[in-house]
Structure formats: C-alpha cells, structure tokens
Amino acid sequence: MKILAIHGSPRTIRSTTRRLAGIVLEGAAVTGAETEMVDLADYRLISCTACEACSLTGTCIFDDDVPALVSRMREADGIVFGSPVYIDNVSGQMKVFFDRLADAIHYQVLAGKFGCAVATTHESGGDDVVEYLNHVLNYLGVMSVGGFSVATAGRSEAVEEAGPAARELGRKLAGAVRNGFSDPEQEAILADNRSYFRTVVEENRDFRPEEYERWVRMGWIE
Ligand SMILES: Cc1cc2nc3c(=O)[nH]c(=O)nc-3n(C[C@H](O)[C@H](O)[C@H](O)COP(=O)(O)O)c2cc1C
C-alpha cells in the first residue's frame, strides 16, 4: 500500500505543514504502508490558461511536472493534501496545482482512493483550508477520512504537540485503504459529482473514446 503526501508550502523542508503531513505519513507507515512526500515547490507547475486542450485531447499544452505528479497520485492508494494558510486560503503553489487537475477531476481518474487533509496557519483560516482540501479530494473522486489544522501562533512545537492526532489520521487513512471506509454524506457527494461529470464525458465521447469506454466499464455510463 502506498500513501502519498503532497504539500504546497514553498518553505519545503523547513515547512511546518510538511512536518505535519510527515507525521500523518509516520502514522500510516507504522501500519506497514509505503509513504512518499511531494514538496510541490520543487516541481515545475505552469498555471492553467484555460485553453481546453486537456479536455479535448487529455494532454496539457505545457511540458512540466504535473503529468508525473498525476501519475504518482494514480499509483498511490491514499493521498494526503497539506497546505499552509495564505491569506485565508491555500498557498499559490497548491492552487496552481489544483487548477491543473481539471482533467483528472472531469474524468474521475482517482475515484476509489482515500485521502485526508492537513493545514497549518499562524492563527486564521486553518479549518476552512482543511475543508477546501477535502472538497478538492471529493472533486477528484477521493473519499476523505478527515483532517485537521494547527494554528501555531509562531510556535513550531505546536505541530509536534499535534503529533498524536496526526499519527492517528495516518493510521485511519491506511485503515481505510485496507478495510474500506464508509461515509454516506460523502458517498452522496461523490455520486453527484460523477453524475455531473458524466455529461462532460458524454459530450467529449468523440474526442476521448478511451475515457468514455472506461466510464462504461466502471458502470458510470449505462
Ligand atoms: C503569504 C503568507 C500569507 C499568510 N496568510 C496567513 C493568514 O491569512 N492567516 C494566518 O493566520 N496566517 C497566515 N500566514 C502564516 C502561515 O499560514 C503560517 O506561518 C504557516 O504555518 C506556514 O506554514 P509552512 O511553514 O508550512 O509554510 C501567512 C504566511 C504567508 C507567508
């Protein structure tokens, strides 16, 4: 089992968000999961220009690191999203990455996976950012097992103090991958999303026949 954490702090190895996501991975690793950390700031991410090429061809016009990151998410069983709070939202790095996931969202290429979310902040916006990260996981077809934020008020020890909760979240994520996890509210959201994106897949049937066939095989198009 593979659990992949992706965090959007530009502070990379000095990042408190990275540390928090790392503790979540430690919790998963204790149960035997293989874990990986992605520092988004170390990768080339070009902002989406809404050219719609991906929608028609499945391939972005930009030759950067996003396709490789999507492949890594596809190979993972569990995904941890982490972001620092920047002006009450995710960091720019995280948002540029998310905007480039539109095609992965439309075609639900990560459906069936499990995830969770963490954020750190000085004071404000932490829970809203966790909610947003989980919302993006749901958009991707990923069921979240939860998440939480840490407001450090400048004290880096605050992240270590949150260690038990972070480890527990990692254990829960690994447990969901192994044994399943049920949340009727999210299941309804995931079903609604699929029914909404089905219209996109149907409209693009002539351009993306392989994806259309995959949706038929998955039973998402009758
Ligand atoms: C550009 C920028 C914007 C920030 N915006 C907020 C904010 O709106 N509210 C807040 O409480 N902290 C804010 N912070 C503080 C960070 O959220 C906080 O230091 C976070 O833990 C940094 O995480 P990192 O070490 O992973 O980068 C901001 C920091 C930066 C650099």
Side-chain angles (χ1 to χ4, degrees):
M1 178 205 308
K2 204 180 272 185
I3 308 284
L4 175 70
I6 299 179
H7 82 90
S9 172
R11 300 178 68 230
T12 61
I13 57 167
R14 292 178 302 124
S15 157
T16 49
T17 311
R18 183 190 209 274
R19 177 64 191 135
L20 186 59
I23 303 174
V24 174
L25 291 183
E26 285 169 21
V30 161
T31 75
E34 186 187 329
T35 64
E36 258 189 290
M37 176 72 76
V38 165
D39 299 276
L40 274 185
D42 285 344
Y43 292 83
R44 284 187 325 123
L45 312 175
I46 301 173
S47 304
C48 175
T49 57
C51 71
E52 295 189 16
C54 67
S55 184
L56 300 178
T57 66
T59 307
C60 182
I61 56 165
F62 297 122
D63 180 17
D64 64 5
D65 294 326
V66 174
L69 291 171
V70 171
S71 296
R72 282 168 77 175
M73 287 198 286
R74 290 181 86 142
E75 284 160 15
D77 304 291
I79 298 168
V80 183
F81 278 159
S83 180
V85 173
Y86 277 10
I87 322 299
D88 286 343
N89 214 309
V90 293
S91 68
Q93 286 80 359
M94 203 77 200
K95 188 61 168 65
V96 167
F97 179 58
F98 285 165
D99 289 354
R100 289 287 303 284
L101 297 182
D103 197 61
I105 288 171
H106 289 156
Y107 288 91
Q108 295 282 284
V109 300
L110 302 179
K113 297 186 191 294
F114 294 93
C116 66
V118 290
T120 71
T121 177
H122 187 84
E123 183 184 323
S124 67
D127 290 347
D128 289 342
V129 162
V130 167
E131 194 179 326
Y132 176 67
L133 295 172
N134 277 330
H135 175 72
V136 175
L137 285 169
N138 283 173
Y139 252 163
L140 286 160
V142 176
M143 168 85 76
S144 172
V145 301
F148 70 98
S149 68
V150 175
T152 63
R155 291 173 56 252
S156 55
E157 316 85 89
V159 168
E160 302 305 326
E161 286 159 16
R167 274 190 197 88
E168 182 49 37
L169 186 61
R171 266 196 296 271
K172 191 173 175 186
L173 177 57
V177 171
R178 275 202 189 87
N179 311 316
F181 172 81
S182 170
D183 175 1
E185 204 177 307
Q186 280 189 78
E187 269 146 27
I189 291 167
L190 297 183
D192 274 358
N193 287 345
R194 261 204 312 277
S195 122
Y196 180 79
F197 295 127
R198 188 176 63 217
T199 57
V200 176
V201 178
E202 284 172 340
E203 274 166 24
N204 289 351
R205 179 180 183 173
D206 293 344
F207 308 110
R208 308 283 296 274
E210 282 153 29
E211 283 299 334
Y212 183 88
E213 289 309 323
R214 187 175 68 86
W215 273 59
V216 171
R217 279 198 309 278
M218 295 297 287
W220 298 340
I221 291 177
E222 282 135 35

